[in-house]
Amino acid sequence: MINPKNLASSPRRLGPIAFAAAFLGLSLAAGAQQLSNVWKVAAGSRPYILAASDGQRGVGASPVSGNVIVVSRVAATNAVYVLDGATGADVGILNPVDPISGVSLISGGTFVVNGAGVADDGAVYVGNLTTSTVTPNLRIYRWSTDSVDPTNTPVLAFGGDPASGTNSIRWGDALAVRGSGTNTEILVTSALRFVTLLRTADGTNFTPTFLTITNIASGNPMQRGVAWADGNSFWGKDSGASAPLRRLRYDLATRNAWVERTIATTAFPADITSLGYLPTNGLLAGMLYSAANAPVGIRLFDASYYNAALDPISFAGTNSLSSSNVNGNRVGSISFYGTNRVVYLSANNGLAMDHILYPSGSVPPAISTQPASTAVYAGASNVLFTVGVSGVPPFGYRWFFQSNLISNATNSSYTVPLAVDAAAGAYHVVVTNLGGSVTSVVANLTLLPTLNSSLSSVAWEAPAGSRPYLSASDSSQRSLAFNPATLNLLVVSRAQTNAVIVLDALTGAEKHGLVIDASVVSGGTFALNQIAVTDDGVVLGANLTTAAASPLFNIYRWDNDGPATAPLLVGQHDPGAPTGIPVDQAQANIRWGDAMAVRGAYSNSTVEVILAPSTGTNIAILRVDGSGFFSADPSVNSLVRVYGAPSGFAHLGIAWAPGTNAFWAKGSGSLLRLVEYDFLARTGVVVRSYPTTSPLSVPLASSGPSYHPGLKLLGVVANQAPDNARLYDVSDLDLGPVLRDQKLFGTDNPNINNTTASAFGAGKFFALSSNNGLIAMNLNSAFNPGVPVFSLTNQFAVTTNLAATNNSVIVHWPSTPGRVYRLESKDDLSVSNWTTQVDLSAPAVTTIVTNIVDGVTNRVFRVRAL
């Protein structure tokens, strides 16, 4: 394989060829590459290029010098000739002998020299041909450059049986080289269904990996033609009607290779054997050997749209060597270098260099949007990488993982099915069109640890798109509620029309929809956005208004969640400007309806609705009057000004908290806050704000909180990659939320509004994420979180002589406040028993103990949680 370093670095060489390309390009037909001859060496025109000897079979091109390398066994026997790549003129012969002793450094084999290739660093590799089935002796020679200086002599890069005696067969009819230095790889074919891959640790000495093609029973599927493809793939071809082109993949760990695609001879002629591949442009070249005395020559194919399920090959261009001498062994060689040149050799028919001309006006594609690195939670599904491209279509896409081609990844996006350890790493894409190619930046997939505990298990799921009312892109589902009277789950959706769908909370099965009377449920930016249920099963809904003075904020009531229950309008006013309060306390005409929670019952008139606006530091608490209406009368509602909170602190999430007058507040991008309020005084204060410094804390990008007072659990939905339902232990309000469980949504569709909802009920936790569907989780009431991981730290550097630390050592460890710990020690590790130093109840999240060590030279500590 030759990288796209070409002769463009030499103005002397590039000038006339570039001019020819520009001139001839004016007449090209759009949509196909053409081949324009630069120079030819006709058979018989030079001593080492004959017309009947079969003595020239290997050719290569150097991306460093621009020279062409030709192997020949005629004239000066077993020689490697160097030609000027721009003109085809002779430069000289690589020295094969020791300059001091005069002894040849190349020998052995049926043919001492046969195949050739040049690495990306300019090193020249020449292989012999061995036909012995008793003692195969494949030999690969390496010249560090193509300089004809006498001091540039070969070394034996490999010598021996590449199969280590496993299969005594013929080796060396074709070879392919790619990479450079310690990354150089050489692929050598055999006469049977085996290839050997030679690799090097030092850049000079190579070791073989013997590969068996597992899905070919017998024969020689690529004896005379091989070319590197992308990643762990290569192309293979032999001659004859039963020898199709094949694309193969290999696995070094198992030492197996297999055919992943067979291209029919109707698309890629049977009479082609020698191969060359240009991965930067996706061009595949083959040498056509005609039996009808027609001139032999090269054919160019576009393989940039390779896909294992489709025929990848389309004809792109042709040229000939202007001769038709018999090439009974059908041997030769092809080598690309740069993005626009190819050199090819056919035994007995000469040698040529062609320029690849692309359609007039065609230019390589450009990447407008690079694939982006992403960090997702382990276990996430369908992680998407995308690329945006500009230029002249059609475009071909080839995605790579860790520099290895991904089969069937031929679209502008690639989806990683499951984010597991084996999928973490570097991804990039090569995009091609008729004008060339472009390679994207590397996008890394990083896995975040997922806390998937036994506190919950998934009971059922309703993914986005699985039901007509659960959309994947329009953010039309933003609220849900559990009905304790019927064990139903209610979901608001605007995907088709304003609707409240009633589900069986235990199974997720659809039951019916609530009656939506458009004469009642109307008005607002969204006529229906929020849903909640009282303790006695009365359903309350609300609209969304972005300017509550007009249209007003509406509250609707269904007396139950039955299929025939009609809605009533039971509230209509601006919650930020109830009647009778001072103007300076009001926040009129702002957005309401993104966050709503309900508690109490209609049956005993204890029902309360709490609302949070999009801006400001007020919240509204509404109670019903004697007629069951949520009025604007300040005697039955309260606009509470919260001190110590930023504007919009509860915009996307509010839930009742422990105690009589407390609530949780959570807006996306805001901290989780615990607020206590005085209803009559219309004031509140943030009593606790919980930081987000730990990966296990409540993230800023979360919303939709709900609270379970019995289990002391707080639930939220995190808008992450992917969105996930989280359960926190909030039994210690001073310690703050402790993450106990995390379940991932099956999709990761954008939720640009960060709208989510959650609810507890029937021993379950329910979570909704806009555009990502529903998850229902069974709660394990017997869950025991176990002892948190902690570490011991000696604050002093000296550990082998504690007496040097002022006769004491201070030990501290992370702890759960109120939990009892025991500090133990031993002064001799050979002693089995530990000595108790102290039992204590942890006073804080870090416990510190000073231990006296008078007369002690060594002491080992451990902590046990009791």
Side-chain angles (χ1 to χ4, degrees):
M1 180 187 77
I2 304 298
N3 274 351
K5 299 177 182 178
N6 57 33
L7 303 184
S9 60
S10 171
R12 176 182 66 84
R13 293 174 175 174
L14 179 62
I17 299 176
F19 175 81
F23 177 78
L24 293 175
L26 295 175
S27 63
L28 291 179
Q33 296 88 351
Q34 298 290 323
L35 293 170
S36 173
N37 183 247
V38 178
W39 52 260
K40 291 183 181 180
V41 177
S45 65
R46 297 186 187 178
Y48 56 90
I49 302 289
L50 300 185
S53 69
D54 284 337
Q56 311 88 42
R57 303 188 182 188
V59 70
S62 172
V64 176
S65 69
N67 290 331
V68 171
I69 310 302
V70 178
V71 173
S72 178
R73 302 189 316 276
V74 299
T77 305
N78 298 323
V80 180
Y81 292 82
V82 181
L83 283 66
D84 186 300
T87 65
D90 287 329
V91 173
I93 301 174
L94 292 184
N95 182 24
V97 301
D98 186 311
I100 297 176
S101 66
V103 175
S104 177
L105 298 174
I106 58 175
S107 62
T110 305
F111 299 149
V112 175
V113 292
N114 194 62
V118 184
D120 296 343
D121 55 8
V124 177
Y125 294 88
V126 172
N128 72 344
L129 175 71
T130 172
T131 61
S132 173
T133 58
V134 179
T135 56
N137 185 18
L138 176 66
R139 298 172 73 84
I140 304 291
Y141 307 100
R142 178 183 186 273
W143 284 263
S144 60
T145 73
D146 61 13
S147 170
V148 295
D149 188 300
T151 62
N152 179 32
T153 57
V155 297
L156 183 65
F158 172 77
D161 182 357
S164 301
T166 303
N167 296 88
S168 297
I169 50 180
R170 170 177 175 144
W171 291 95
D173 281 296
L175 65 81
V177 179
R178 71 174 176 183
S180 64
T182 56
N183 292 318
T184 304
E185 294 180 306
I186 305 172
L187 201 62
V188 184
T189 66
S190 75
L192 295 176
R193 60 186 186 101
F194 310 103
V195 293
T196 190
L197 174 56
L198 300 170
R199 307 173 81 202
T200 178
D202 59 11
T204 301
N205 299 289
F206 286 73
T207 56
T209 299
F210 178 69
L211 301 173
T212 301
I213 303 171
T214 56
N215 54 352
I216 293 180
S218 61
N220 50 355
M222 60 207 66
Q223 179 180 346
R224 295 173 177 83
V226 69
W228 284 110
D230 309 281
N232 289 357
S233 296
F234 58 94
W235 301 96
K237 183 73 172 67
D238 202 58
S239 63
S242 61
L245 174 69
R246 293 178 172 95
R247 183 174 172 120
L248 301 97
R249 180 172 290 272
Y250 66 85
D251 184 339
L252 287 176
T254 62
R255 296 176 177 264
N256 287 329
W258 58 94
V259 176
E260 62 177 4
R261 179 69 174 122
T262 299
I263 290 85
T265 55
T266 53
F268 197 88
D271 283 342
I272 286 178
T273 54
S274 303
L275 298 176
Y277 183 62
L278 181 61
T280 54
N281 291 55
L283 294 179
L284 184 67
M287 186 74 71
L288 183 64
Y289 302 92
S290 173
N293 293 324
V296 300
I298 190 173
R299 285 198 175 184
L300 195 63
F301 298 83
D302 185 352
S304 61
Y305 304 97
Y306 172 75
N307 185 309
L310 301 173
D311 190 346
I313 303 301
S314 61
F315 179 68
T318 187
N319 215 338
S320 70
L321 286 168
S322 302
S323 62
S324 55
N325 298 320
V326 174
N327 181 353
N329 292 300
R330 297 175 180 254
V331 289
S333 188
I334 300 172
S335 181
F336 284 97
Y337 64 113
T339 59
N340 59 1
R341 311 211 184 166
V342 61
V343 60
Y344 49 101
L345 168 73
S346 171
N348 306 333
N349 287 283
L351 170 72
M353 165 74 75
D354 283 0
H355 200 98
I356 304 169
L357 304 177
Y358 296 96
S360 178
S362 66
V363 294
I367 292 180
S368 55
T369 305
Q370 296 282 359
S373 294
T374 184
V376 304
Y377 283 99
S381 56
N382 300 319
V383 181
L384 185 67
F385 289 101
T386 62
V387 65
V389 182
S390 61
V392 180
F395 301 112
Y397 301 89
R398 288 171 291 148
W399 287 89
F400 296 79
F401 172 59
Q402 306 290 56
S403 298
N404 294 317
L405 182 71
I406 305 171
S407 294
N408 303 329
T410 56
N411 297 316
S412 60
S413 63
Y414 174 68
T415 300
V416 179
L418 189 63
V420 294
D421 288 342
Y427 292 81
H428 77 273
V429 61
V430 175
V431 186
T432 59
N433 68 0
L434 294 174
S437 69
V438 63
T439 301
S440 76
V441 301
V442 169
N444 289 300
L445 174 59
T446 304
L447 301 191
L448 304 173
T450 304
L451 182 61
N452 184 7
S453 77
S454 61
L455 172 58
S456 76
S457 59
V458 176
W460 54 267
E461 295 181 78
S466 65
R467 302 179 183 186
Y469 50 85
L470 294 177
S471 58
S473 61
D474 64 7
S475 300
S476 61
Q477 304 88 42
R478 304 187 181 188
S479 184
L480 58 74
F482 174 77
N483 191 337
T486 60
L487 302 185
N488 288 331
L489 185 70
L490 283 65
V491 179
V492 172
S493 176
R494 303 187 319 275
Q496 297 172 303
T497 184
N498 291 317
V500 178
I501 297 90
V502 180
L503 308 176
D504 185 328
L506 302 181
T507 65
E510 299 170 8
K511 300 181 77 171
H512 54 265
L514 293 188
V515 173
I516 304 296
D517 184 343
S519 66
V520 176
V521 181
S522 65
T525 305
F526 301 142
L528 185 61
N529 196 57
Q530 292 292 307
I531 200 74
V533 182
T534 65
D535 295 346
D536 54 353
V538 175
V539 180
L540 297 176
N543 72 343
L544 172 72
T545 172
T546 57
S550 179
L552 296 170
F553 178 74
N554 295 342
I555 299 179
Y556 317 109
R557 186 185 83 205
W558 291 263
D559 289 335
N560 55 62
D561 64 13
T565 304
L568 301 171
L569 181 66
V570 294
Q572 189 174 54
H573 68 279
D574 182 350
T579 58
I581 67 168
V583 174
D584 64 338
Q585 295 181 18
Q587 287 181 316
N589 202 34
I590 61 175
R591 174 175 174 145
W592 293 85
D594 288 298
M596 168 180 167
V598 173
R599 71 178 175 183
Y602 258 92
S603 58
N604 57 15
S605 299
T606 59
V607 63
E608 286 184 308
V609 174
I610 187 169
L611 304 168
S614 63
T615 57
T617 59
N618 288 354
I619 58 97
I621 300 174
L622 310 181
R623 296 172 177 173
V624 293
D625 60 19
S627 63
F629 196 79
F630 295 95
S631 73
D633 184 348
S635 66
V636 290
N637 59 47
S638 181
L639 183 65
V640 176
R641 175 163 293 180
V642 179
Y643 293 91
S647 175
F649 70 102
H651 171 213
L652 292 177
I654 197 164
W656 298 106
T660 303
N661 298 319
F663 62 88
W664 300 102
K666 184 72 182 73
S668 181
S670 297
L671 299 177
L672 175 71
R673 291 176 170 88
L674 182 62
V675 179
E676 294 181 353
Y677 66 92
D678 186 318
F679 183 88
L680 296 178
R682 304 180 188 279
T683 60
V685 62
V686 175
V687 293
R688 291 174 181 83
S689 294
Y690 298 106
T692 59
T693 53
S694 165
L696 302 183
S697 60
V698 179
L700 289 175
S702 62
S703 56
S706 59
Y707 177 64
H708 192 300
L711 297 177
K712 293 181 170 54
L713 291 176
L714 178 75
V716 299
V717 179
N719 184 12
Q720 296 177 313
D723 287 10
N724 54 97
R726 291 175 164 229
L727 292 170
Y728 289 87
D729 181 345
V730 288
S731 58
D732 187 332
L733 297 178
D734 292 321
L735 173 64
V738 178
L739 182 64
R740 295 301 191 199
D741 198 13
Q742 186 179 20
K743 294 294 187 287
L744 308 180
F745 283 85
T747 59
D748 190 24
N749 297 320
N751 182 357
I752 60 173
N753 296 299
N754 301 316
T755 46
T756 68
S758 67
F760 288 94
K764 289 179 171 57
F765 175 62
F766 307 96
L768 168 72
S769 169
S770 290
N771 306 329
N772 289 288
L774 276 166
I775 299 178
M777 298 147 58
N778 294 315
L779 297 177
N780 176 11
S781 60
F783 173 74
N784 183 349
V787 180
V789 176
F790 55 84
S791 59
L792 295 174
T793 305
N794 179 355
Q795 76 169 29
F796 300 103
V798 178
T799 57
T800 57
N801 184 1
L802 296 181
T805 62
N806 299 320
N807 296 320
S808 66
V809 63
I810 298 176
V811 181
H812 51 101
W813 64 90
S815 54
T816 300
R819 185 144 197 163
V820 177
Y821 296 87
R822 174 175 294 167
L823 177 66
E824 299 177 332
S825 70
K826 62 170 64 175
D827 298 343
D828 185 353
L829 288 175
S830 65
V831 176
S832 59
N833 294 328
W834 291 80
T835 300
T836 299
Q837 296 292 336
V838 64
D839 288 346
L840 78 167
S841 176
V845 294
T846 299
T847 299
I848 303 173
V849 173
T850 299
N851 188 248
I852 305 300
V853 290
D854 279 331
V856 177
T857 57
N858 295 284
R859 177 162 289 175
V860 179
F861 294 93
R862 77 175 184 183
V863 170
R864 298 175 61 196
L866 304 179

